[in-house]
Amino acid sequence: MPPVPILKWNHLLAKASYNHSVDMVTRKYFSHTSPDGLSVTDRLKTVGYQQATFGENIANGYSDEKSVIKAWLQSPGHCANIMSNSFTEVGAGREAKYWTMTFARPASGK
């Protein structure tokens, strides 16, 4: 894939990602949508992040950052999120072996 600008770390995206990983572990599911129907958009709203666009990668079973990133890069859909020029910010969170990485461009367009 062609190079894209470096993403800026965003603590609200990291909080939403971590919260989702914790929720998946606690409630024993693996999905972009929670058992009660909450989506990425709902999670971002909960932490106060207003997005113009977003994407999310989730994973389960990886014990370290290097292995989960390698797996995401080898998956066409996950790699497309990582290498998308639609996003300007990123945050990630892990609980146990559940991983969530959220990508976004803020509504303000910065």
Side-chain angles (χ1 to χ4, degrees), residues 71-103:
W72 281 334
L73 290 174
Q74 292 174 345
S75 164
H78 294 103
C79 185
N81 274 344
I82 293 169
M83 297 303 294
S84 174
N85 63 6
S86 297
F87 308 129
T88 57
E89 299 181 334
V90 65
R94 168 192 182 188
E95 178 67 13
K97 292 187 178 183
Y98 284 73
W99 301 80
T100 304
M101 181 177 274
T102 307
F103 309 88

Side-chain angles (χ1 to χ4, degrees), residues 9-81:
W9 185 261
N10 182 284
H11 72 280
L12 294 176
L13 296 178
K15 184 175 181 179
S17 296
Y18 175 72
N19 291 348
H20 186 53
S21 293
V22 168
D23 192 49
M24 287 191 292
V25 169
T26 303
R27 300 203 289 169
K28 298 177 175 54
Y29 72 96
F30 182 70
S31 176
H32 294 282
T33 305
S34 71
D36 50 352
L38 296 179
S39 67
V40 180
T41 304
D42 297 315
R43 290 190 287 279
L44 294 178
K45 186 176 181 179
T46 297
V47 298
Y49 188 94
Q50 295 181 358
Q51 76 282 353
T53 187
F54 66 89
E56 181 181 72
N57 288 352
I58 59 174
N60 182 20
Y62 299 94
S63 58
D64 60 58
E65 293 83 356
K66 185 176 180 178
S67 61
V68 74
I69 293 293
K70 181 179 178 182
W72 281 334
L73 290 174
Q74 292 174 345
S75 164
H78 294 103
C79 185
N81 274 344

